[in-house]
Amino acid sequence: MMSLLFSVCVTTVFLTSVFQSVSGTPCVCELKNLVRPFPFSKLDNINRAASQCNGNITPKEMKEASGLMLGLQSRLKQLEESVSVLEREDDGKLYGAVSLRIIELELAEVLQLMLKLNETLRSNQRLSEKTIAELQGMLEDMQNLEDFDYMQVVKKQRENQRMKRDLDRCQNELQATAWPPTASPGHCPQGQLVNVSGPRTYSLTQYGTSYPYGAWGKDPKPAPGKEGMYWLVALTSSSVYANYVRQYNSWSTMMVGVGPTDASISSSNPTTNTIQGPNVVMYGGALYYGCYNTPYVCRFNMSDRTVSNVALPPNTGINNKFPFAYLDLAYTYTDLDFATDESGVWVIYTSPENFGNIIISEVLAKTPPVLGRNWKTSLHKRTVTNTFMVCGVLYATRFLNKETEEIFYSFDTRTGIERYDLRIHLKKMQPNVQSLNYNPQDRMLYMYSDAYILSYNVIFSDTLYA
Ligand SMILES: *[C@@H]1O[C@H](CO)[C@@H](O)[C@H](O)[C@H]1NC(C)=O
Ligand SMILES: *[C@@H]1O[C@H](CO)[C@@H](O)[C@H](O)[C@H]1NC(C)=O
Ligand SMILES: *[C@@H]1O[C@H](CO)[C@@H](O)[C@H](O)[C@H]1NC(C)=O
């Protein structure tokens, strides 16, 4: 732009007088510039103001408000549903009173969230008022500067740009095709998670109905020779704690309950390093779980039977502070939820700083384990019954009724995009879900539900019609 304006200036310089002497005396040429000099310093000022303005408003501030808003919207909707459930089922006795109290508490939390949102929006508004004033000033300055564009080059350029933009937009709109309502995001080679079928298997464990809390599954990355094994952890003390991992050589030995081997973490229960909470996973020959009474990720190595750990961020909720829940039922001590997917192990938790909304962290399989990247979502942990990960996307479920659990939410860690509109149903055999996890190797979901163990097939878009 500078060089352009410069050449414009030169072409508008006029020769005012020319004297040619016949007698051979030197020629004198006088040049006079009829146009005003270009105010470069003014352009510099505008440039500086523009970059300052860019620095003031960052996508982060805008994202915080929209995240809060999204979470609030979904909670209000769920609250409304809870109230209508209460109205339907109110028997005028204790159940109603208890539920009402829960809804009161929920309302108080929603109010807190609204105050925070109000504050965020107000500070954003102040910021944008200031920015608008600055932009207006810059616009006027630029208009003044444009008077120097005698040949209208800049103007034409801008028109071209505008037309190109319109064309691009038009093209994008043509290409955009809407996804079916239940298709989820993600970058799986096998396509998107579109449905879940099953239960494919359904059974009581060897313990019978003794332990309503627990987890089971298959190691997605088993040690050589252990490919066919299944693991089972039942919370044998107060439905909160466990001190050993049970393993079976095959699905059928598990069903009939023969030949289990137990790997003991400690001889007493509970104590330092034992398991707290049901949402544990097995990956790469090690069990990942929440460590007894501490905000730590613990890893129990199944081959050398040692425990290593890594601390979660300060204030991470443990000891039943931020459990999974629905209406008036909380799943006790489900503060930490471990998950496996194609990329490894994840931990799902929350803290007061994130308003009880879910945080996702990678757990990297170093020795000792370390936490990798983390993501903050707008999904309130108490409005969710469980979560699992598939191809870097977090999915959350909620209680729909005694027979159905619904996958209603997703968070894509690659794009940060959240959705609250998934409608993928899981058929249950018992009302409650204490743990749920995805195995990327056999692409199945493993569920522990009121002492029963179930498995489901995950259906992806690319395998649907294959
Ligand atoms: C949000 O802030 C404004 C300005 O202070 C106030 O008038 C309004 O009542 C607040 N709204 C809520 C829900 O607190
Ligand atoms: C999902 O799977 C269930 C069980 O196989 C089936 O009944 C249902 O129609 C499927 N839903 C969609 C949208 O394909
Ligand atoms: C478990 O211990 C064995 C033997 O010390 C070691 O080779 C292996 O890497 C460990 N596994 C994990 C996940 O730390």
Side-chain angles (χ1 to χ4, degrees), residues 333-346:
Y333 288 82
T334 51
D335 303 82
L336 305 188
D337 181 13
F338 290 85
T340 54
D341 77 350
E342 287 69 8
S343 64
V345 180
W346 307 78

Side-chain angles (χ1 to χ4, degrees), residues 111 114-115 118-119 122:
L111 195 65
M114 280 177 75
L115 288 176
N118 201 4
E119 189 187 304
R122 245 182 304 141

Side-chain angles (χ1 to χ4, degrees), residues 72 105-117:
L72 196 58
L105 290 174
E106 173 80 10
L107 261 178
E109 276 182 27
V110 166
L111 195 65
Q112 283 297 313
L113 213 58
M114 280 177 75
L115 288 176
K116 168 72 187 168
L117 185 63

Side-chain angles (χ1 to χ4, degrees), residues 220 231 278-283 288-289 297 324 336-349 360-364 386-395 436-440 445:
W231 60 269
N279 284 292
V280 307
V281 298
M282 180 91 78
Y283 189 88
Y288 291 80
Y289 59 96
V297 168
F324 288 131
L336 305 188
D337 181 13
F338 290 85
T340 54
D341 77 350
E342 287 69 8
S343 64
V345 180
W346 307 78
V347 58
I348 290 109
Y349 57 96
I360 308 166
S361 290
E362 290 175 318
V363 182
L364 307 176
N386 221 290
T387 68
F388 60 91
M389 301 279 305
V390 178
C391 297
V393 177
L394 176 88
Y395 293 91
L436 183 65
N437 187 44
Y438 169 73
N439 180 331
L445 288 175

Side-chain angles (χ1 to χ4, degrees), residues 189-448:
Q190 66 271 28
Q192 300 173 305
L193 186 161
V194 288
N195 204 354
V196 173
S197 71
R200 210 187 75 156
T201 66
Y202 165 62
S203 162
L204 261 180
T205 71
Q206 199 181 354
Y207 302 111
T209 53
S210 310
Y211 305 122
Y213 277 74
W216 77 295
K218 210 166 174 253
D219 188 339
K221 210 181 142 202
K226 308 238 164 126
E227 291 83 359
M229 287 187 108
Y230 286 81
W231 60 269
L232 172 68
V233 170
L235 302 186
T236 54
S237 171
S238 319
S239 291
V240 177
Y241 313 107
N243 62 334
Y244 67 96
V245 188
R246 179 156 282 190
Q247 281 185 296
Y248 296 89
N249 283 324
S250 66
W251 161 251
S252 49
T253 53
M254 181 161 189
M255 287 308 100
V256 292
V258 298
T261 51
D262 291 341
S264 171
I265 299 172
S266 162
S267 54
S268 58
N269 186 23
T271 185
T272 311
N273 282 347
T274 57
I275 299 166
Q276 175 167 315
N279 284 292
V280 307
V281 298
M282 180 91 78
Y283 189 88
L287 189 83
Y288 291 80
Y289 59 96
C291 241
Y292 169 64
N293 199 30
T294 57
Y296 279 72
V297 168
C298 266
R299 181 176 65 198
F300 177 61
N301 186 324
M302 297 293 290
S303 69
D304 69 9
R305 311 257 159 129
T306 56
V307 174
S308 50
N309 64 37
V310 57
L312 285 161
N315 283 336
T316 293
I318 58 155
N319 289 343
N320 218 20
K321 188 158 185 205
F322 290 110
F324 288 131
Y326 72 89
L327 203 48
D328 53 355
L329 186 96
Y331 293 121
T332 54
Y333 288 82
T334 51
D335 303 82
L336 305 188
D337 181 13
F338 290 85
T340 54
D341 77 350
E342 287 69 8
S343 64
V345 180
W346 307 78
V347 58
I348 290 109
Y349 57 96
T350 184
S351 66
E353 285 75 18
N354 204 35
F355 319 107
N357 294 340
I358 281 178
I359 302 169
I360 308 166
S361 290
E362 290 175 318
V363 182
L364 307 176
K366 306 260 172 64
T367 306
V370 296
L371 294 185
R373 294 170 296 172
N374 52 65
W375 292 265
K376 289 177 176 173
T377 74
S378 75
L379 178 64
H380 194 60
K381 193 157 177 294
R382 279 195 60 112
T383 61
V384 167
T385 51
N386 221 290
T387 68
F388 60 91
M389 301 279 305
V390 178
C391 297
V393 177
L394 176 88
Y395 293 91
T397 57
R398 62 173 180 173
F399 180 96
L400 217 56
N401 56 49
K402 288 189 173 73
E403 291 82 35
T404 317
E405 207 77 359
E406 181 179 69
I407 300 170
F408 74 103
Y409 170 90
S410 67
F411 181 96
D412 190 336
T413 58
R414 281 210 211 175
T415 60
I417 292 173
E418 307 188 80
R419 287 182 53 174
Y420 282 89
D421 60 349
L422 306 189
R423 299 275 176 273
I424 301 170
H425 289 178
L426 265 75
K427 190 173 178 299
K428 291 180 292 186
M429 307 301 279
Q430 311 295 323
N432 301 304
V433 176
Q434 285 78 21
S435 69
L436 183 65
N437 187 44
Y438 169 73
N439 180 331
Q441 190 230 331
D442 57 19
R443 294 181 188 163
M444 287 180 50
L445 288 175
Y446 289 81
M447 179 194 283
Y448 195 102

